[in-house]
Amino acid sequence: MELYGLVGRGISHSYSPDFFRKKFARLGLAADYKLFDLNDIDQFPALVASNPNLKGVNITMPYKRMISNFIDVLDVSVQYTGSINTIKIDRSASGTILKGYNTDIIGFEKSLLPLLKGRCVKALILGTGGSSRAVSYVLRKYGIFFYHVTRDPKKIHQMGYHWMDTEMMNEFHLIVNTTPLGMTPNDETFPDIPYHLLTPNHILFDLVYNPEETMFLKKGKMRGATVLGGLQMLNDQAEASWKIWKR
């Protein structure tokens, strides 16, 4: 039986096994998708070696950047973002080759464009982790000016949460949460932004998909903002992963 899976830490909440098992059932495939919860990314080589039927994995927080140390071939999507969320495992008599890709780019782009409806906006990306790299790549592709918002800004393209004043909120209408705040089981947490300054002109996109409507989105909706969670992005990037695994 072919095996696929998700590698991360604290991932019991993931919808990915359900998505892929339903897909395998529709296709009539003898395959399974499992969660591989690793305390340390250095456990990854042993995981690959001990599961000879493992054909591919998705990568999630906090390993999207660290996993590159174990990859033999990097797709151009990884070279642009520095982040990996999909790995194809090619095995042969001569050895095992791991190929890294970033399908978050595809998922975010497909979800974002219908929200914009052709609007020219400026964006704030909450967080600086692996997922934020895919978001920033797509925004650059479409000429959308952005800042990364972080608790400890150190670079010229970064700003602190405390800089999000009235002037800034009136200028930047797309806000993308790439942090894990609000993710199950910590449903009541949310990014520390000035929600009272949100308007119907704002668009809030949360990469968190469980729960489908986070506190970040609920607070935005209360102010009339357009909101979208990460479930569609998850599905789109999963489909892109599947295409890579079956090449």
Side-chain angles (χ1 to χ4, degrees):
M1 176 183 290
E2 290 187 351
L3 179 62
Y4 302 88
L6 176 68
V7 173
R9 189 167 65 208
I11 53 176
S12 60
H13 65 277
S14 176
Y15 286 178
S16 293
D18 184 60
F19 175 90
F20 278 104
R21 287 169 183 166
K22 288 180 178 178
K23 184 176 186 66
F24 298 154
R26 290 195 305 270
L27 296 175
L29 298 177
D32 196 10
Y33 189 101
K34 295 183 178 181
L35 298 178
F36 298 107
D37 200 322
L38 304 184
N39 291 323
D40 193 300
I41 195 57
D42 289 337
Q43 297 173 299
F44 181 69
L47 168 67
V48 175
S50 61
N51 291 276
N53 56 338
L54 187 63
K55 303 296 184 181
V57 292
N58 292 121
I59 307 296
T60 190
M61 290 184 280
Y63 300 134
K64 289 186 177 184
R65 296 174 66 185
M66 291 182 274
I67 196 72
S68 62
N69 294 329
F70 306 103
I71 305 305
D72 302 296
V73 180
L74 298 177
D75 181 68
V76 65
S77 61
V78 176
Q79 297 174 31
Y80 282 134
T81 63
S83 176
I84 296 170
N85 79 314
T86 299
I87 296 174
K88 182 178 181 181
I89 304 172
D90 287 336
R91 304 177 193 265
S92 66
S94 58
T96 300
I97 301 296
L98 304 182
K99 300 178 180 179
Y101 303 82
N102 190 311
T103 62
D104 281 338
I105 292 173
I106 297 171
F108 180 66
E109 183 174 6
K110 284 188 173 182
S111 296
L112 175 67
L113 295 185
L115 282 182
L116 296 181
K117 298 178 181 177
R119 288 177 57 189
C120 181
V121 297
K122 294 182 179 180
L124 299 174
I125 304 173
L126 310 183
T128 58
S131 296
S132 73
R133 303 298 186 91
V135 170
S136 62
Y137 172 80
V138 173
L139 297 184
R140 286 192 188 97
K141 178 179 177 180
Y142 288 94
I144 298 174
F145 181 83
F146 65 88
Y147 282 116
H148 284 275
V149 184
T150 175
R151 289 172 294 182
D152 186 25
K154 295 179 178 178
K155 299 180 180 179
I156 195 169
H157 62 279
Q158 296 178 347
M159 58 175 279
Y161 282 90
H162 59 286
W163 298 359
M164 298 176 68
D165 56 13
T166 300
E167 183 179 357
M168 183 68 68
M169 295 294 283
N170 285 340
E171 185 177 358
F172 290 77
H173 286 153
L174 172 61
I175 304 176
V176 184
N177 178 40
T178 71
T179 78
L181 291 171
M183 182 185 297
T184 299
N186 301 309
D187 300 37
E188 298 304 311
T189 61
F190 49 86
D192 185 20
I193 70 169
Y195 293 95
H196 66 286
L197 297 178
L198 293 173
T199 71
N201 290 325
H202 284 91
I203 301 170
L204 270 58
F205 191 131
D206 201 335
L207 268 59
V208 172
Y209 60 84
N210 185 10
E212 292 187 28
E213 187 173 76
T214 59
M215 289 297 296
F216 171 69
L217 298 182
K218 288 179 180 178
K219 288 176 173 289
K221 185 184 288 187
M222 288 175 62
R223 302 296 301 180
T226 299
V227 303
L228 182 68
L231 188 58
Q232 186 59 52
M233 176 178 168
L234 173 74
N235 292 341
D236 287 337
Q237 69 81 24
E239 290 290 356
S241 296
W242 179 245
K243 290 179 181 178
I244 289 170
W245 294 334
K246 301 311 293 182
R247 285 176 184 170

